[in-house]
Amino acid sequence: KKKVVQMDPADLVQDLLKKYPTKVARKRAKQIMVKEAEGASTPEMGANVRTIPGIITMRGCTYAGCKGVILGPTRDIVNITHGPIGCGFYSWLTRRNQTHTETDADENFMPYAFSTDMNENDIVFGGEKKLKQAIKEAYELFHPKAIAIFSTCPVGLIGDDVHAVAREMKEELGINVFGFSCEGYKGVSQSAGHHIANNQIFKHVVGTKEEIKVGEFKINLLGEYNIGGDGFEIDRIMDKCGITVVSTFSGNSTYDQFATSHTADLNTVMCHRSINYVAEMMESKYGIPWIKVNFIGAEATAKSLRKIAQYFDSPKLTERVEAVIAEEMPEVRQVMDDVRSRTEGKTAMLFVGGSRAHHYQELFNEIGMRTISAGYEFAHRDDYEGRHVIPDIKIDADSRNIEELEVEPCTKDYNPRKTDEELKKLDEEGFKFKEYAGMIPDMENKSLVIDDLNQYEAEKLIEIMKPDIFCAGIKEKYSVQKLGIPLKQLHNYDIGGPYAGFKGAVNFYHDIDRMVNSKVWSYLKAPWQEKPELSATYVWE
Ligand code: CFM
Ligand code: HCA
């Protein structure tokens, strides 16, 4: 029989920390918080800091963030990993980013894993010669528009100059060749890799081609990677609304999309964490404003479409958007209500990357499920706390600033939330600031927010709070399921998806319904079920 123990969230935090040595506990305490336990204002989250050595983190590396995440979904750039074969192999299609070519003549290099296969010999004598040879070989075989080179840990350690090699090969081959100093050990997580990728794509590709796409309402979709076909569903909706997507960074994208992305009227940002640098550099250089959108959740999708229509301020677009929402929502509502009758009141935990642990809470809300604990692997303070974004230049919403400015690589990080008075002053000065919502303000009181969760804490959390579902990645999946809790991968959706947009919401409701209502989990015996003295259930007030 289950013993129900009422536990204060603050005690729960103490329980999580008590096994740690004093110094480790002190550090981890800065990354664990109970929402609003310390008053009405959002307390500061100790995000984007180095993982304590010895802890089994859920994080990945800088190379993964650059090569796998940002450049991975682009189909016609030959992406060469300069490093040991494991790095290239492990980042090869595991993310389930999808693509389809429009014509038979279009290139798709995604099914290939290009690598210099660095070995001991290269480490001792240097790998630049081998890299040049690899670039030439790839060029001769595939004749791509562009070749990108990605540095792995040993490249930085032995000092190979990938940028010098890129310049030389660009000259020799006459195609765009550029490199990324995205050695895995740089920074504290994947996040450093996003930043490096954004700066180089902006410097070497964005704005290099003047080809204007026809369309009345032209947007870029930034931070959408077409995982499980999410981007296809968003494209379907945009198409129906009459909105032209010039480029997507970088789901189902091509080199030319990046090169012409400066011709869009508006940047919409889906995953802010991974691509905010491009949005801000495009705003500074080309005067393209950006707004935050979210297509995870049917209501969120409708809201984002309305936000885009509002920006263009066109009755025609508004009417179209409303018609699309009216057409799509009835089916969604029907499934939502049906599923909700079985999922209402169940609880979820979400520990994913840098935006999904926030975005997916919306989808769970739609079927009446509460997120009792969540956190990012590598997001920054703004993703937790929200921020006010102030552009470098005054943006005139009506006329784009077409005068090209020299733009420094984006180094911006945390812009704290401003007071009402500060905002008023900025507004009077002509700065079109925007509010960026963070995870914590959107969560219910007493929820537990934990940054860079590790394996020990995950197991402890499950033991105490017993969620109905745990959402994370492949490294967590089987250890969590062995505890008798279903795990939904929110990185690659297991074999499911799309989960974005209207059709995606329906898929998600069905998949979660099946998982939280399956009997199979009750047959698994977790250690605390065999030792009743360990049994405790977290009860919300
Ligand atoms: Fe953005 Fe992503 Fe994410 Fe991300 Fe990632 Fe990903 Fe993710 Mo995995 S770009 S931050 S670095 S939404 S790969 S598609 S699922 S951790 S939450
Ligand atoms: C990455 C990619 C990843 C990993 C997912 C996971 C993805 O960070 O290198 O750990 O299951 O989404 O594929 O985040």
Side-chain angles (χ1 to χ4, degrees):
K1 230 167 113 190
K2 242 196 228 169
K3 217 163 76 188
V4 177
V5 177
Q6 188 142 350
M7 200 170 188
D8 190 283
D11 294 342
L12 204 159
V13 174
Q14 289 318 309
D15 208 21
L16 266 184
L17 297 172
K18 81 177 174 220
K19 260 231 167 116
Y20 286 135
T22 321
K23 258 189 169 167
V24 175
R26 208 182 306 134
K27 283 189 180 166
R28 282 303 292 149
K30 293 184 182 144
Q31 288 169 275
I32 303 177
M33 65 164 70
V34 180
K35 157 109 194 247
E36 286 192 354
E38 290 143 56
S41 66
T42 304
E44 193 176 306
M45 177 56 106
N48 195 28
V49 292
R50 196 167 285 280
T51 302
I52 303 158
I55 276 183
I56 305 175
T57 174
M58 289 162 64
R59 284 174 168 173
C61 70
T62 298
Y63 160 82
C66 181
K67 191 265 179 187
V69 174
I70 307 296
L71 273 298
T74 304
R75 79 171 93 97
D76 60 355
I77 297 178
V78 165
N79 289 330
I80 301 180
T81 296
H82 188 34
I85 194 64
C87 302
F89 186 80
Y90 192 69
S91 59
W92 181 30
L93 286 183
T94 48
R95 190 157 164 257
R96 291 193 75 227
N97 47 272
Q98 301 186 1
T99 197
H100 64 61
T101 49
E102 271 144 43
T103 69
D104 286 347
D106 289 346
E107 298 287 9
N108 175 18
F109 302 124
M110 268 190 222
Y112 297 91
F114 298 95
S115 170
T116 51
D117 186 17
M118 203 177 231
N119 57 37
E120 295 91 328
N121 205 48
D122 308 312
I123 303 283
V124 175
F125 298 105
E128 289 180 15
K129 248 169 76 185
K130 200 171 186 185
L131 177 60
K132 273 185 220 173
Q133 204 187 330
I135 296 171
K136 275 191 211 168
E137 194 180 323
Y139 177 75
E140 280 156 18
L141 285 171
F142 297 101
H143 296 284
K145 287 194 171 105
I147 296 178
I149 307 151
F150 299 89
S151 306
T152 56
C153 294
V155 174
L157 296 175
I158 65 173
D160 275 2
D161 188 345
V162 298
H163 305 289
V165 172
R167 276 194 300 273
E168 194 185 320
M169 297 316 287
K170 183 177 176 175
E171 180 92 351
E172 191 179 317
L173 305 175
I175 59 162
N176 201 353
V177 184
F178 42 92
F180 296 85
S181 292
C182 55
E183 285 86 347
Y185 58 75
K186 276 193 173 171
V188 304
S189 69
Q190 292 94 314
S191 180
H194 303 149
H195 202 156
I196 292 163
N198 282 207
N199 280 341
Q200 290 295 78
I201 282 289
F202 189 77
K203 182 172 168 192
H204 293 280
V205 190
V206 171
T208 55
K209 203 168 168 186
E210 285 302 331
E211 194 184 87
I212 315 244
K213 232 181 176 167
V214 189
E216 229 177 309
F217 313 106
K218 284 183 292 193
I219 66 162
N220 293 317
L221 192 56
L222 306 186
E224 164 43 55
Y225 300 94
N226 202 21
I227 309 301
D230 276 356
F232 293 148
E233 164 66 359
I234 300 173
D235 283 348
R236 178 188 74 85
I237 298 168
M238 292 297 173
D239 216 40
K240 247 177 122 170
C241 292
I243 298 166
T244 308
V245 180
V246 177
S247 76
T248 302
F249 282 60
S250 50
N252 190 31
S253 63
T254 61
Y255 178 82
D256 284 353
Q257 281 187 26
F258 291 156
T260 57
S261 58
H262 64 301
T263 63
D265 304 316
L266 175 70
N267 277 331
T268 61
V269 177
M270 175 84 178
C271 168
H272 169 270
R273 179 67 271 134
S274 60
I275 210 82
N276 72 87
Y277 319 97
V278 162
E280 292 192 358
M281 286 185 287
M282 280 174 99
E283 186 161 272
S284 300
K285 184 163 179 175
Y286 304 108
I288 306 175
W290 68 265
I291 56 168
K292 178 76 183 70
V293 291
N294 176 24
F295 294 102
I296 302 298
E299 296 292 349
T301 300
K303 201 166 132 196
S304 296
L305 291 174
R306 291 190 174 118
K307 212 164 157 185
I308 296 170
Q310 197 183 6
Y311 171 80
F312 284 106
D313 198 17
S314 144
K316 187 173 109 186
L317 182 61
T318 305
E319 205 176 291
R320 191 75 217 117
V321 159
E322 289 306 330
V324 171
I325 295 170
E327 203 182 304
E328 299 278 337
M329 279 311 270
E331 190 209 334
V332 177
R333 285 237 168 77
Q334 197 193 344
V335 180
M336 194 194 288
D337 292 344
D338 172 45
V339 167
R340 202 184 174 114
S341 66
R342 289 179 299 275
T343 51
E344 181 95 57
K346 293 196 185 285
T347 57
M349 287 186 180
L350 277 65
F351 291 93
V352 213
S355 72
R356 294 181 174 201
H358 178 202
H359 286 166
Y360 276 79
Q361 293 189 24
E362 291 241 17
L363 269 174
F364 279 113
N365 286 341
E366 289 177 352
I367 47 170
M369 288 181 62
R370 170 156 181 212
T371 305
I372 52 176
S373 185
Y376 299 121
E377 286 170 50
F378 51 74
H380 299 201
R381 277 183 60 193
D382 42 9
D383 305 297
Y384 280 108
E385 299 164 24
R387 68 192 258 214
H388 286 109
V389 186
I390 321 292
D392 291 334
I393 49 161
K394 294 172 191 176
I395 302 287
D396 179 350
D398 300 323
S399 61
R400 283 232 333 248
N401 166 25
I402 14 185
E403 185 194 339
E404 288 208 3
L405 298 165
E406 245 338 287
V407 170
E408 295 291 319
C410 186
T411 53
K412 269 199 209 132
D413 187 18
Y414 183 64
N415 287 324
R417 292 176 83 79
K418 305 265 188 262
T419 61
D420 288 350
E421 222 157 84
E422 284 169 320
L423 290 178
K424 201 169 149 237
K425 194 159 168 275
L426 283 160
D427 193 35
E428 280 162 11
E429 285 170 10
F431 288 101
K432 300 280 176 233
F433 61 87
K434 53 210 129 202
E435 193 160 4
Y436 168 67
M439 173 200 280
I440 300 172
D442 277 355
M443 287 183 79
E444 269 186 54
N445 215 18
K446 298 225 166 160
S447 307
L448 203 59
V449 187
I450 308 179
D451 183 60
D452 187 17
L453 187 81
N454 56 57
Q455 185 175 3
Y456 165 70
E457 289 166 14
E459 290 189 6
K460 194 84 191 157
L461 268 184
I462 290 172
E463 178 192 314
I464 306 170
M465 297 171 93
K466 295 186 177 58
D468 292 298
I469 195 163
F470 195 97
C471 299
I474 191 64
K475 299 189 288 300
E476 296 74 48
K477 187 169 176 84
Y478 299 102
S479 64
V480 167
Q481 291 193 161
K482 282 176 191 165
L483 299 175
I485 306 290
L487 186 142
K488 180 73 202 163
Q489 292 192 65
L490 282 192
H491 294 265
N492 67 7
Y493 307 158
D494 297 297
I495 52 165
Y499 290 148
F502 299 112
K503 294 213 182 316
V506 169
N507 290 338
F508 191 78
Y509 306 151
H510 282 312
D511 287 357
I512 297 303
D513 183 16
R514 274 195 288 266
M515 291 181 86
V516 299
N517 288 308
S518 164
K519 279 248 178 313
V520 73
W521 306 106
S522 63
Y523 299 133
L524 278 158
K525 284 276 169 284
W528 65 79
Q529 288 167 311
E530 282 165 1
K531 289 187 193 162
E533 70 274 14
L534 290 180
S535 174
T537 300
Y538 192 70
V539 176
W540 297 99
E541 279 163 27

